[in-house]
Amino acid sequence: MTQQPLAGIRIADFSHVMAGPFASHILRLMGAEVIKIEAPRGDQFRNYGSNRDYDGMSPAFIAANVGKKSIALDLKDAKDHEIARRIVAKSDVLLENFRPGVISRLGFGYDAMRELRPDIVFCSVSGYGQDGPYRDWPAIDNIVQATSGMMMLSGAEGDPPVRVGFPIVDTLTGQTAAVAILGALMQRERTGEGAYIDVSMLDASLSFMTSALTPFLTTGSPLRRMGNTGYSELPTAGVFEAKDGRHISLGVVQENQFAVLARKLDREGWLSDERFATPDARRENFDEMHSELAAIFVARDAGDWERELSEAGIPCGKIRSVSEATELGTPDALLDLKIGGLPDGGQASVPNVGFRMQPGEPGTDTAPPRLDENREEILAWLDSND
């Protein structure tokens, strides 16, 4: 593997569970060294769920911790406290996601760490920010999905709230923190100064939801809940059942696409039909357009529609399960790892960082660490001149 863009950057990672570790996970896949400083009991994410066949690690833990190093330290113990301080002094970034105020009470607040490392990039991740009125409220992914309004964006009008089916707030917050850390590191290259970063799960979610939030902020009217219909509110951007019982998602939102679709479906009359000839007409006659499309798509299998329409330049995708979706990724979309604990040698795969780059390709082939696995290595490094 060629040298990665963050080679030489070291992160003292005090974070746990998902949002913080996912931030350092992204940076690790771009070449940073991540020292995971865990409580003696370990990151609680190690024990999420009932499947812990991979060296005692849960798949959820593996998803955000590949290639890191682990040392278990009791920050209330004087000896361990000093070891953690020495790690920070030789690191570029400190990342933490304790409740606001906790890291300072442990003796590792920003001001204290600047005395050790004046140019430290210090990133705090929390539910509602470090100094807002809700700073002391506990927050995890599904809670912020609720308080951010995200749960009221899925489903149809009148439906109960709908949770996004994976920890989207944790991962988008981790990505936000990773981008902020990268910006601070670039700024440090120019100024020589470190930075303090305050990442709020709520604020990160509101930013992520800009396509829903900005229309409300500009018009005063919230978006309607459109179920499986796309952002355009067009009936040609929705979900349809196919002959085989599978479903396809159609995404025709541009006029040239609609013209191609009409001809491909042998419905050129739609182009002159006053009910369907314009986007606003199709919105006004949503149910009629949707019904005509539904009657057409049920005549053939989903895979046939996906292939034929996609080849014609019409946005269309068969709705897949997660297991099926992995077949569509680029050659570098997944990372293959070997993790102990399984009879077959522990072969496992995790998603890569989400982009390809040459040179400096992201990724790692190193498994997540067992709790305290790298203690002796880290202690030896602290005593060295590296």
Side-chain angles (χ1 to χ4, degrees):
M1 185 177 290
T2 58
Q3 189 175 64
Q4 295 176 296
L6 295 184
I9 296 296
R10 183 175 296 116
I11 299 169
D13 186 0
F14 291 79
S15 68
H16 52 280
V17 187
M18 188 66 180
F22 193 72
S24 59
H25 171 68
I26 293 171
L27 302 175
R28 174 63 189 90
L29 293 182
M30 289 190 281
E33 179 185 10
V34 178
I35 298 177
K36 188 174 178 68
I37 299 166
E38 302 188 62
R41 69 180 183 277
D43 184 341
Q44 295 180 58
F45 222 37
R46 290 181 177 274
N47 300 311
Y48 262 48
S50 58
N51 182 354
R52 293 188 289 277
D53 292 335
Y54 294 88
D55 264 357
M57 294 181 285
S58 69
F61 177 83
I62 292 169
N65 289 284
V66 297
K68 299 178 183 179
K69 299 175 180 179
S70 170
I71 184 168
L73 298 173
D74 180 354
L75 299 180
K76 296 180 181 179
D77 175 84
K79 183 178 177 181
D80 282 2
H81 190 279
E82 181 58 25
I83 291 172
R85 282 175 58 87
R86 295 174 66 195
I87 292 172
V88 174
K90 299 180 74 170
S91 297
D92 300 280
V93 177
L94 186 153
L95 173 64
E96 64 92 12
N97 65 345
F98 293 105
R99 295 268 290 274
V102 171
I103 195 74
S104 293
R105 291 196 295 272
L106 291 170
F108 290 88
Y110 179 50
D111 290 338
M113 293 302 95
R114 281 199 298 174
E115 295 179 6
L116 288 177
R117 177 81 188 235
D119 64 349
I120 192 79
V121 171
F122 192 112
C123 182
S124 293
V125 177
S126 65
Y128 300 99
Q130 297 296 308
D131 55 9
Y134 312 114
R135 56 168 294 196
D136 294 324
W137 287 9
I140 61 173
D141 179 273
N142 62 297
I143 300 304
V144 180
Q145 284 201 38
T147 58
S148 66
M150 189 178 295
M151 285 188 181
M152 294 302 293
L153 294 174
S154 298
E157 292 290 348
D159 283 354
V162 180
R163 172 186 167 271
V164 178
F166 68 98
I168 186 172
V169 170
D170 280 338
T171 48
L172 72 86
T173 300
Q175 284 192 330
T176 300
V179 170
I181 289 168
L182 290 173
L185 289 171
M186 290 189 67
Q187 177 177 262
R188 191 178 72 176
E189 285 294 306
R190 296 195 308 271
T191 67
E193 297 181 358
Y196 179 75
I197 302 167
D198 177 4
V199 180
S200 154
M201 294 170 72
L202 180 71
D203 289 357
S205 297
L206 295 179
S207 175
F208 192 75
M209 292 158 50
T210 185
S211 58
L213 188 59
T214 301
F216 165 73
L217 295 173
T218 55
T219 69
S221 298
L223 286 181
R224 291 188 298 144
R225 298 173 72 188
M226 296 293 293
N228 287 321
T229 299
Y231 188 54
S232 66
E233 302 183 6
L234 287 165
T236 50
V239 171
F240 300 90
E241 185 173 357
K243 181 180 180 180
D244 55 0
R246 300 292 296 267
H247 291 79
I248 64 166
S249 181
L250 188 67
V252 173
V253 297
Q254 300 176 19
E255 284 304 274
N256 62 312
Q257 295 170 347
F258 181 69
V260 174
L261 177 70
R263 296 185 182 104
K264 191 70 180 175
L265 299 182
D266 196 24
R267 297 294 191 278
E268 284 195 68
W270 287 347
L271 302 178
S272 56
D273 189 326
E274 63 180 13
R275 299 172 301 163
F276 307 139
T278 68
D280 283 341
R282 293 193 290 279
R283 291 186 186 96
E284 186 175 342
N285 296 281
F286 184 101
D287 290 342
E288 294 173 74
M289 177 92 270
H290 194 279
S291 295
E292 292 203 22
L293 288 166
I296 294 170
F297 285 125
V298 78
R300 297 180 60 190
D301 289 349
D304 294 336
W305 283 121
E306 178 185 56
R307 181 176 56 257
E308 183 174 326
L309 296 183
S310 295
E311 289 175 353
I314 298 168
C316 173
K318 181 171 71 173
I319 294 179
R320 288 167 165 79
S321 65
V322 171
S323 59
E324 293 174 311
T326 60
E327 302 171 0
L328 296 182
T330 66
D332 302 315
L334 301 178
L335 300 171
D336 295 324
L337 308 170
K338 285 195 173 181
I339 304 174
L342 291 183
D344 62 358
Q347 191 69 28
S349 296
V350 299
N352 204 341
V353 73
F355 62 84
R356 305 169 79 183
M357 183 167 69
Q358 292 292 340
E361 57 182 312
T364 181
D365 58 4
T366 305
R370 298 184 301 277
L371 178 62
D372 208 32
E373 178 178 345
N374 306 102
R375 168 175 287 272
E376 296 307 318
E377 174 192 347
I378 291 169
L379 294 180
W381 161 69
L382 288 175
D383 290 331
S384 72
N385 293 321
D386 295 341

